[in-house]
Structures are given as structure tokens and as C-alpha cells.
Amino acid sequence: MAPLFGWWQRETHRGTPVIVKMENPNWSIAEIEGEEDEEELVTRDGSFSSRSRKKNAKQITWVLLLKAHRAAGCLTGLASAMVSLGSAVKRRVRSGRSDADPALVPRGENQVVRSRIYGCIKAFLVLSMLLLFFEVAYYFNLWRLGMGGVHVLMDQVHEGWQRLRAEYIAPPLQFLSDACTVMFLIQTMDRVLLCLGCLLIKLKGIKPVAKALEKDPESGSDYPMVLVQIPMCNEREVYQQSIAACCNLDWPKSNFLVQVLDDSDDPTTQTLIREEVEKWQKNGARIVYRHRVIREGYKAGNLKSAMSCSYVKDYEFVAIFDADFQPMPDFLKRTVPHFKGNDEVGLVQARWSFVNKDENLLTRLQNINLCFHFEVEQQVNGIFINFFGFNGTAGVWRRKALEESGGWMERTTVEDMDIAVRAHLHGWKFVFLNDVECQCELPESYEAYRKQQHRWHSGPMQLFRLCLPDIIKSKIGVGKKANLIFLFFLLRKLILPFYSFTLFCIILPMTMFVPEAELPAWVVCYVPAFTSLLNILPAPGSFPFIIPYLLFENTMSVTKFNAMISGLFQLPSAHEWVVTKKSGRSSEGDLVSFALSKKDDATGLRVGGSVPNLNELVKEEKNTNKKKKKHNRIYSKELALAFLLLTAAARSLLSKQGIHFYFLLFQGISFLLVGLDLIGEQVS
């Protein structure tokens, strides 16, 4: 190092001279990268002298090497991520089974009918890829490199294609785009009004008020008779916790009876559930076990069979809990009093809470949807119009309302919505309690969630076809009829899945190849972001997932659209019923509490439930895992749409549509991840 006079000194770093200040002797890249043409030095007599300096070749080389090192690091990280993703995709493709596999098609369903939508998407994909190659070749004038007359012919073909799309394709496409945009805006306004209603409820503190139970609980004189029903089918992961929770409800023992309605066709599961019921009977609980020999009508048939028992007439109210639901001990004390003095109330519904909402990305996205459903939709409809769709569980019915409405019917896969609509047409009112929660599970695998959503979106269309004449002929007011037909069924059950799929999965990519038809950026970006923000307000902790939520909802539109079409036109898949797979997440922690719990001196019941044999459970689980080999699923419709959207994204680059490109790109990646089953629970 050669010191200089004054405030400067010269240093050498790897053969490269640099000038640094004395108060900051550490050299930095910024000083190496300086492009000063002059350097000022202090001479021995104290005067300044300047001289021109040529750029040092070694200095420039060193700067370039540093930048290259940084770029190489970024590329290495990106390449590593792509290799990991590619490996995961390769494993999924190798071990997965396509949903087009005939072995996976539901019994009685026509494979030709099932693959119609997939065939249309594939044809559209092939056409879009051909158009993309054609447009790229025209954009870069690739055919001018060929023989003399080729470019003239191709120019004529391209001019003909432009006239064809401008005169015949663009007008109907623009009309369909405008129609879907209007539907989108109407549905957005519906969301805004619901959110405003929810805000009004919170600001004014509006909520249902129940009359208190006045008399002594020990006598039971003021506690009505309640029948508690637990329908289940092959749900060995969760049966213990639901039975334990229902048997420990804080209600006089003589005034409620628990019915375990077991529709399991697995003999081992039947035995386990029957033994669990016997344990509780020995502990003093009033509980019975029922198993149907002829299993018809799925859950509706199970409930209908249970209601035919002779002793049911002794009970005024019926509480229903699915096998994965765990009501709190005070559930009946917080719901049944709302019937007192309100003879018009036929249903009291509690909201759901989820024990596994943070398990994976899929459960987090489901939690956003269901929080909006309960916090906004159910609460607002319950407060202002006294009607909403029964959620099938965590609710208490007045037995008289069930009987006057015709009881449980097996005609659709949404028996809960069916009985709710018929009860509403008979003049019964519903009460929703947002502050009463019942714990349950969310599906953790995409396959389970997909089947659940198919059932939830095909059933309402079946029901709409069947109930429309009854709605028109009913004696309820015109406003209630309009609400049922236009809002409850058409807007929220039919229009929503229709425009979501059509607008973002069909029209948007088509407008990239037919630029004469336009889809504004505010329709593609701003309005969807606004509606997603509204949906996420009831679950503010999920705000970081707003973009994945928006993309995933559009991805699910293909399943919901397919289900809606199958229900509307009575396709065989509309009658498909698959019990949602449970993981028993809540029971994992409950096993310890069961073992450590003590008997209650007043009731003689175990507070936590019966004590399971942990060793036997572990052995059974190992045997089950050996017998059943899980396969990853590969979803052909989602994969075809992924490549279609990515192709449209590439085409959008030619027309320089930035927002459209990014939306199509990320939406295509979302479809790709879902199509390869890379979301939700990972199976081997």
C-alpha cells in the first residue's frame, strides 16, 4: 500500500489500483466500478494536480467477473428449483393414475359422456397451438426465408384469417365476453351487498336472542327432548371423537338420546363402532347403534330410516352431527333455547370451525371460502330473510318442521339443501348462530376436495329442476320466490361457476388469438382482485394468500362447471356420492386426553370419551397401509387447460398485453400444479 499526502491514499487490490479516503480505508465494489475520468492527488507542496486516467482493463474484467458471479448464483438457484420441480413432476407422472383411467370411472357412468368436456378442451388446445405457430411465423416473417412464391401464399392466408376472425369470430366472442362480464359485475355487486349487510350487523350488534332455560337442570322439566343423530359411513378415523362429544353434551341424560347411524360396509369398521357404542352404554350414556341392511339413498336414506323408529315421536328436536364434528358440551344449551317462544323457527344452524385449517395450502384456501360462507352469507341471510341453506350438520331441527316438509328425500345429493328449501316453502324460519361453533375437519387432499365440490355443485342444479314448479306454486311472498330463484339458485349456484370457467378459461385465451375481441384489463385483474379481497375479509389472517386464492378459485371452476352441467342435464355423474375422506387430525391430540380423563361424578360419564387401545390402533393402521396402496392422480382436464393458458400467454407477448400475459402465465402454472396433484396432502 502506498500512502499519499492529505486525505487520499492509493491501494492495490489483486493488481488493480484504487483510490480510497483515509477515513474509510476499506475498499468496495462501488469504488472499483467508479467511472471517474479524473483523479485528484495532493502534491508535496500542497497544491492539487489532475491527470487523465485510462480505464484499466483488469478493473473492468474484475467488475464483469463479480457481476457474472452474481448472475451465476441466481441462475444456479433458479435451476435448482426447476430441477426439483421437474423431479416432482416426473415422480407424479410415473406413479400417478390419470382420472381418465377406466378403473377410476364411477360405476354406471358412460366414459364417452365423461370425456366430452375434456375432448373439447383438447381440440381447443391443439387449435391454439397451431395458431400460435402460425402467428409467430408471421410475426418474424419466417416464411420469407423459403421459396419464392411461398411468402405470397402465406400472406394471403394470413389476410384471409384476419378477415375471418374480424367478421365471423370476433362478434360472437365479444358478445359472449360482454355477457360474462355483466354476470361477473352482478355477482360482484351481490358480494358487496352481502358484505355491507355483514358490516351493518357488526356495527349495530344484531344477533338472535334466545330465552333462557329457567328451571333446574336436574329435574329436566324445562329441557325438551332432543334426539342426537350421528350418520357415518366407513369413517373409522373419526367415529370415536364424534361419539364422545355427543355423549358428553351438557343436557339432562333422560332428555336426550344419541343415535349412531352406521352405514359402513366394512365389517371391521362396523365392529369398532358397535364396540364404542357399547362402552358408552356401560358408562351410562343413552346411546343406540343402528345399521341398515339395505343401504339406499346415501345419507338421506340413512336419516330417513332413523326417523322411522317408533320412539322418535317422543323427541321434539333433532340435532345432526357428521362423523367428524365435535360439538362443545354447551351446544344444546346455546341452540335449543332459540326455539322457545318462536313456534315459526324450524332450524337453528351453528357455524363450523376447523381443526386443520393450517395443515397445508389447500386447507388454508378452503378456510377462506368457508369463513366467508358462514360469516357473511349465512349470517346475513339468517338475520334479514330468515332463510339459508342447511349445512347438513351442526344444526338442530324441530321435528315438526321436518315432518311437515316431507322428511328426508333421496332424490338429490344435497339432501340438506333439499329439506331446507321445502321447509322454507312451508313457511318455517331459520336462525343462524355465528357465535356458536362446532369443530370439524377440512379435506386435506385435492382428490377428496374435488369430489366434495362436485357433489356440492351438481346437487343444487338437480334440486333446482325439481323444486322450480313448487317454488312458483308456493304461497310464500313474491320477494322470497325471487330470492330463491334468482339469487339462491341462478346467481350463486349456476351463473357463478358458468362465468368463472367461461370467462377466464375459454374467452380470455381466445381473445389472445382473436385480438379484435377485447377483454379489458379491469375485468382480468382489478375486479377479480377486489372480489378476492371481499372474500378474504372474514379471515384477515389469510391475507398473504390472496393471490393463490384467486388463482385456485379459477382453477376449481372447471370442476364446478362440470358438476353444474352434470346436475342441470341429469348426467350420471350428478348422482355420484363419495364420502369425503377424513384424516382424524383432531383425534390425534384427543387420544391422550381420553386416556388421562376422569369420570364425572354426577353423570358417570368419561369427560374425554372412552379409552382406546393405542397398540391395537397402531397395528390396524399398519395393516391398512399395507393393504391399500395410494396413487397420485393426474387430472387431464386441468393439465389440458394449463397448456392452453400457457399457449395463450405466449401469444399475448406478440400483442404486448402485459396484464393479460401475467394473468395467463400464473393461471396456467396454477392449473399445472393442480393437474399434477401437487397441492394439498402428499400421497406416495
Side-chain angles (χ1 to χ4, degrees):
M1 180 178 66
L4 298 174
F5 294 100
W7 297 320
W8 303 89
Q9 69 179 16
R10 182 186 299 275
E11 292 185 357
T12 303
H13 180 73
R14 298 188 181 180
T16 302
V18 294
I19 305 296
V20 298
K21 291 183 178 181
M22 289 293 291
E23 61 266 25
N24 185 20
N26 296 323
W27 70 278
S28 64
I29 297 175
E31 286 143 350
I32 297 178
E33 294 176 353
E35 296 183 358
E36 300 178 6
D37 295 329
E38 301 275 331
E39 66 175 19
E40 293 183 345
L41 302 178
V42 182
T43 60
R44 299 196 177 195
D45 58 0
S47 61
F48 289 90
S49 65
S50 60
R51 64 189 180 198
S52 60
R53 182 186 61 180
K54 296 181 180 180
K55 292 182 179 179
N56 194 307
K58 293 183 178 180
Q59 178 181 354
I60 297 176
T61 303
W62 174 244
V63 172
L64 294 177
L65 286 175
L66 285 176
K67 292 186 175 182
H69 179 72
R70 292 175 180 175
C74 294
L75 292 176
T76 302
L78 182 61
S80 177
M82 295 301 295
V83 169
S84 300
L85 179 61
S87 300
V89 170
K90 184 178 180 180
R91 289 195 302 269
R92 287 301 168 99
V93 173
R94 181 179 300 174
S95 63
R97 298 173 65 183
S98 171
D99 56 353
D101 190 341
L104 301 178
V105 177
R107 187 182 304 174
E109 182 169 348
N110 190 346
Q111 176 70 7
V112 177
V113 175
R114 182 181 177 88
S115 60
R116 282 179 180 174
I117 295 181
Y118 175 49
C120 294
I121 295 174
K122 283 199 301 184
F124 189 32
L125 172 61
V126 172
L127 179 61
S128 64
M129 293 184 69
L130 292 176
L131 288 176
L132 176 63
F133 294 146
F134 181 72
E135 294 287 354
V136 170
Y138 176 79
Y139 186 82
F140 291 103
N141 294 324
L142 296 181
W143 49 64
R144 296 185 182 275
L145 303 176
M147 301 297 292
V150 174
H151 70 277
V152 178
L153 176 62
M154 296 305 296
D155 287 340
Q156 294 176 351
V157 171
H158 190 266
E159 291 177 1
W161 161 240
Q162 287 182 323
R163 288 196 301 269
L164 174 66
R165 73 189 189 193
E167 297 177 6
Y168 299 102
I169 301 178
L173 182 61
Q174 187 66 58
F175 174 78
L176 185 60
S177 173
D178 295 340
C180 288
T181 302
V182 171
M183 296 179 192
F184 190 15
L185 293 177
I186 293 174
Q187 195 268 340
T188 302
M189 289 303 301
D190 177 55
R191 291 294 172 101
V192 171
L193 292 176
L194 287 172
C195 290
L196 291 176
C198 183
L199 180 62
L200 181 64
I201 291 172
K202 289 187 176 297
L203 292 178
K204 292 193 173 184
I206 305 173
K207 68 176 184 178
V209 179
K211 293 186 178 181
L213 298 173
E214 300 172 355
K215 298 186 180 180
D216 186 9
E218 296 299 330
S219 63
S221 56
D222 200 41
Y223 285 70
M225 302 291 286
V226 180
L227 179 66
V228 180
Q229 297 179 328
I230 315 175
M232 58 181 64
C233 180
N234 297 324
E235 293 171 285
R236 61 189 301 173
E237 298 88 359
V238 292
Y239 71 92
Q240 286 181 319
Q241 62 201 45
S242 59
I243 293 176
C246 291
C247 287
N248 282 285
L249 288 170
D250 188 9
W251 202 256
K253 285 198 303 180
S254 59
N255 287 38
F256 83 102
L257 173 69
V258 179
Q259 278 185 325
V260 178
L261 311 177
D262 181 24
D263 253 8
S264 304
D265 55 4
D266 177 27
T268 304
T269 304
Q270 293 178 26
T271 302
L272 291 172
I273 297 175
R274 187 182 293 108
E275 289 177 352
E276 185 70 15
V277 172
E278 291 174 355
K279 290 179 184 178
W280 281 99
Q281 288 174 341
K282 292 177 181 178
N283 285 336
R286 296 187 69 236
I287 182 171
V288 295
Y289 174 85
R290 282 181 54 83
H291 179 76
R292 293 193 300 164
V293 179
I294 302 176
R295 300 169 59 251
E296 294 181 350
Y298 304 110
K299 181 180 177 181
N302 196 2
L303 293 170
K304 182 179 180 180
S305 174
M307 293 297 292
S308 65
C309 296
S310 59
Y311 55 80
V312 171
K313 66 180 183 296
D314 299 329
Y315 296 87
E316 186 178 358
F317 302 105
V318 180
I320 302 173
F321 302 99
D322 283 350
D324 60 317
F325 278 73
Q326 305 169 69
M328 300 298 291
D330 62 349
F331 182 88
L332 293 180
K333 285 188 174 181
R334 299 180 67 182
T335 54
V336 174
H338 288 273
F339 292 99
K340 188 176 180 180
N342 298 318
D343 295 335
E344 295 180 343
V345 175
L347 167 67
V348 175
Q349 172 74 58
R351 70 172 295 168
W352 301 354
S353 61
F354 311 104
V355 296
N356 61 337
K357 63 181 180 181
D358 297 324
E359 186 63 30
N360 54 42
L361 179 60
L362 179 60
T363 57
R364 291 178 184 271
L365 300 180
Q366 292 178 68
N367 181 59
I368 295 173
N369 260 341
L370 291 172
C371 281
F372 183 88
H373 170 69
F374 287 109
E375 186 86 13
V376 180
E377 291 180 341
Q378 297 290 76
Q379 184 174 210
V380 170
N381 290 327
I383 292 293
F384 293 108
I385 62 177
N386 298 119
F387 168 73
F388 48 82
F390 175 46
N391 294 116
T393 178
V396 182
W397 278 93
R398 192 188 295 271
R399 181 175 58 84
K400 183 180 179 181
L402 289 174
E403 293 175 349
E404 285 188 358
S405 305
W408 299 101
M409 293 185 179
E410 310 98 323
R411 56 182 182 172
T412 69
T413 57
V414 284
E415 73 294 327
D416 44 9
M417 186 181 294
D418 189 356
I419 190 65
V421 170
R422 286 185 281 117
H424 182 57
L425 296 180
H426 281 79
W428 291 99
K429 295 182 179 180
F430 301 166
V431 174
F432 178 76
L433 303 178
N434 191 54
D435 56 347
V436 179
E437 297 184 357
C438 190
Q439 284 192 338
C440 63
E441 286 189 16
L442 291 167
E444 295 182 9
S445 67
Y446 178 69
E447 176 63 17
Y449 179 64
R450 184 170 178 261
K451 290 184 178 297
Q452 181 195 70
Q453 292 300 305
H454 186 277
R455 186 174 77 246
W456 286 3
H457 285 82
S458 64
M461 289 298 96
Q462 293 177 284
L463 183 61
F464 180 63
R465 289 169 52 100
L466 297 171
C467 285
L468 184 59
D470 296 333
I471 295 173
I472 297 174
K473 297 176 184 177
S474 66
K475 298 180 181 180
I476 62 175
V478 177
K480 292 183 177 180
K481 290 182 181 180
N483 173 70
L484 267 178
I485 295 175
F486 296 108
L487 290 181
F488 187 76
F489 279 113
L490 289 181
L491 181 61
R492 298 169 187 165
K493 303 296 187 297
L494 188 148
I495 291 178
L496 177 58
F498 173 78
Y499 86 75
S500 296
F501 174 75
T502 307
L503 187 63
F504 296 109
C505 300
I506 300 298
I507 295 178
L508 178 58
M510 284 188 68
T511 56
M512 298 298 102
F513 297 98
V514 186
E516 291 81 4
E518 296 182 356
L519 194 60
W522 58 269
V523 177
V524 177
C525 180
Y526 304 125
V527 177
F530 176 68
T531 56
S532 298
L533 181 62
L534 292 179
N535 289 350
I536 214 167
L537 286 178
S542 302
F543 185 79
F545 301 96
I546 185 171
I547 294 179
Y549 171 75
L550 170 61
L551 297 175
F552 183 69
E553 281 301 293
N554 290 334
T555 304
M556 284 301 301
S557 65
V558 61
T559 297
K560 297 176 181 179
F561 178 82
N562 190 19
M564 182 268 293
I565 293 296
S566 65
L568 191 62
F569 295 100
Q570 294 292 302
L571 301 180
S573 61
H575 303 278
E576 176 186 352
W577 178 286
V578 179
V579 178
T580 305
K581 181 182 178 297
K582 312 296 190 307
S583 61
R585 292 286 180 186
S586 55
S587 63
E588 293 174 358
D590 291 342
L591 294 180
V592 177
S593 61
F594 285 171
L596 298 178
S597 61
K598 298 179 180 180
K599 288 189 177 181
D600 190 294
D601 295 333
T603 62
L605 299 180
R606 187 174 296 276
V607 177
S610 60
V611 182
N613 189 328
L614 299 180
N615 293 329
E616 292 182 1
L617 289 177
V618 173
K619 291 180 181 178
E620 289 173 4
E621 186 67 23
K622 289 182 179 179
N623 293 334
T624 304
N625 292 337
K626 289 180 181 180
K627 293 178 182 179
K628 296 181 179 180
K629 184 179 180 180
K630 296 181 180 180
H631 293 273
N632 294 119
R633 299 290 296 272
I634 298 176
Y635 303 99
S636 52
K637 295 186 187 72
E638 284 79 357
L639 283 180
L641 280 169
F643 294 120
L644 171 62
L645 294 172
L646 293 175
T647 303
R651 173 61 181 84
S652 69
L653 291 176
L654 300 181
S655 53
K656 300 180 181 179
Q657 301 188 42
I659 292 180
H660 296 71
F661 166 74
Y662 287 113
F663 183 87
L664 288 167
L665 175 64
F666 290 116
Q667 192 63 69
I669 294 174
S670 176
F671 269 102
L672 182 63
L673 295 177
V674 171
L676 294 172
D677 199 12
L678 291 171
I679 184 172
E681 181 193 40
Q682 304 298 310
V683 292
S684 59

